[in-house]
C-alpha cells in the first residue's frame, strides 16, 4: 500500500459536494471537534483538513494503514505541507518526530496490534473529556475496534454484526463516514457509542488506492 493522494471523488467528498456536509463532522455531542489525531499519510491529512473547526492536528504514525510501504518522516512532512501551501501551524509533529524511519511494510499482526494499541493509549491520555476526531484507514480502524481484518484475517474468524447505521461488514468502514466511538474501562479497543461517545472515528476520503 502506497502513500497516495485523494481521488477526484475523495476531493469532492472533502469539499462536501457529495452526501456528507460540513456539519456532519463539525461536532460530536454538541461539542466542536477542534483536535484531531491523524495518520501521517497524505490521504488522511487531506481528510483531516476538511474538519471545519480543527485547530490542532496531531500526527501519529501508529494510525497509518497496515503494511504501508511508504510514508513521510518529519522533515518530509514539513516539506510536503510547505509545497502544498498547507498551514503548518495547525499540525503537532511531536510524535511524528520520534519516528524517523518507515517500518510498517512488513509488519506482522502482532507488531501492527502493538503500534495501534500504543497509538490508542496516546489518544486516550489526551482525550479524557474533549470531543476529538481520529482519521485513519480501513484495516487500522478495524483493528482499533478489535475486528478481524485483511491481511491478517483467517477464514474461520468472523466479525460480529456492526451497529445500526454503520454499514455492511463488506467494505467497512466506508470512506469519509463518521463513526461515534469511545474508550471503555477494561477494553483496550475503541467501542461503538451511538449516543454518548466523545470521539469521531473516520476513514480517509476516497483515495487513488481505492481506484486500483
Amino acid at each position: 500500500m502506497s502513500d497516495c493522494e485523494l481521488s477526484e471523488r475523495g476531493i469532492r467528498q472533502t469539499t462536501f459536494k457529495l452526501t456528507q456536509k460540513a456539519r456532519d463532522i463539525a461536532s460530536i455531542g454538541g461539542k466542536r471537534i477542534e483536535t484531531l489525531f491523524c495518520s501521517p499519510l497524505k490521504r488522511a491529512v487531506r481528510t483531516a483538513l476538511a474538519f471545519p473547526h480543527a485547530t490542532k492536528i496531531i500526527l501519529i504514525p501508529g494510525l497509518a494503514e497496515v503494511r504501508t510501504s511508504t510514508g513521510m518522516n518529519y522533515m518530509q512532512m514539513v516539506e510536503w505541507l510547505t509545497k502544498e501551501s498547507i498551514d503548518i501551524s495547525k499540525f503537532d509533529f511531536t510524535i511524528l518526530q520520534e519516528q524517523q524511519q518507515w517500518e510498517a511494510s512488513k509488519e506482522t499482526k502482532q507488531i501492527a496490534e502493538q503500534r495501534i494499541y500504543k497509538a490508542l493509549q496516546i489518544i486516550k491520555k489526551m482525550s479524557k473529556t474533549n470531543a476529538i476526531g481520529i482519521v485513519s484507514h480501513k484495516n487500522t480502524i478495524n483493528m482499533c475496534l478489535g475486528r478481524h481484518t485483511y491481511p491478517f484475517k483467517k477464514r474461520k474468524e468472523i466479525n460480529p454484526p456492526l451497529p445500526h447505521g454503520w454499514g455492511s461488514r463488506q467494505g467497512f468502514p466506508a470512506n469519509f463516514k463518521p463513526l461515534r466511538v469511545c474508550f471503555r474501562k477494561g477494553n483496550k479497543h475503541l467501542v461503538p457509542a451511538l449516543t454518548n461517545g466523545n470521539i469521531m472515528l473516520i476513514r480517509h476520503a476516497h483515495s487513488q488506492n481505492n481506484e486500483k
Side-chain angles (χ1 to χ4, degrees):
M1 190 71 72
S2 63
D3 185 12
C4 68
E5 284 276 12
L6 296 181
S7 64
E8 287 299 318
R9 180 180 174 187
I11 293 171
R12 286 172 60 81
Q13 286 176 326
T14 55
T15 52
F16 308 106
K17 294 177 180 177
L18 296 178
T19 56
Q20 300 292 353
K21 304 301 179 186
R23 63 177 178 272
D24 297 328
I25 62 170
S27 62
I28 189 167
K31 296 181 179 179
R32 285 186 172 188
I33 296 175
E34 298 179 346
T35 299
L36 296 172
F37 297 88
C38 182
S39 158
L41 298 179
K42 294 174 183 176
R43 55 196 184 275
V45 172
R46 296 281 193 191
T47 302
L49 291 167
F51 279 69
H53 303 307
T55 57
K56 187 176 185 181
I57 301 173
I58 303 170
L59 298 174
I60 302 184
L63 292 175
E65 182 60 301
V66 171
R67 291 189 177 175
T68 294
S69 58
T70 58
M72 294 179 285
N73 60 28
Y74 165 66
M75 292 301 296
Q76 292 167 333
M77 176 64 72
V78 171
E79 182 179 354
W80 176 71
L81 292 172
T82 302
K83 180 182 177 181
E84 296 296 313
S85 301
I86 298 171
D87 184 3
I88 293 179
S89 67
K90 282 189 172 186
F91 292 85
D92 184 330
F93 303 103
T94 305
I95 300 171
L96 182 62
Q97 284 179 288
E98 296 173 359
Q99 181 175 328
Q100 292 299 310
Q101 302 297 323
W102 202 255
E103 303 172 346
S105 60
K106 297 180 181 180
E107 64 187 355
T108 62
K109 180 179 180 180
Q110 182 180 14
I111 292 173
E113 287 176 335
Q114 289 173 348
R115 73 164 170 89
I116 291 168
Y117 175 70
K118 183 178 179 181
L120 290 179
Q121 289 300 105
I122 292 170
I123 295 170
K124 187 175 182 179
K125 290 178 181 178
M126 301 177 72
S127 62
K128 295 295 184 181
T129 57
N130 295 333
I132 65 165
I134 299 175
V135 184
S136 190
H137 308 266
K138 178 180 179 178
N139 299 316
T140 300
I141 287 175
N142 272 289
M143 295 185 78
C144 284
L145 294 165
R147 298 176 67 83
H148 305 297
T149 190
Y150 178 86
F152 310 119
K153 186 180 182 299
K154 298 178 181 178
R155 183 173 295 182
K156 64 181 179 180
E157 294 174 329
I158 300 175
N159 284 314
L162 292 164
H164 178 71
W166 277 32
S168 64
R169 281 183 285 190
Q170 185 176 3
F172 173 83
N175 294 104
F176 207 56
K177 180 179 176 64
L179 307 172
R180 192 170 186 174
V181 298
C182 68
F183 288 106
R184 188 166 293 163
K185 188 175 181 180
N187 195 322
K188 67 178 183 179
H189 299 113
L190 293 169
V191 297
L194 303 184
T195 59
N196 59 351
N198 68 319
I199 301 171
M200 182 176 291
L201 179 62
I202 192 167
R203 180 186 177 188
H204 61 80
H206 196 270
S207 72
Q208 293 170 351
N209 277 339
N210 295 134
E211 297 180 329
K212 295 179 180 179

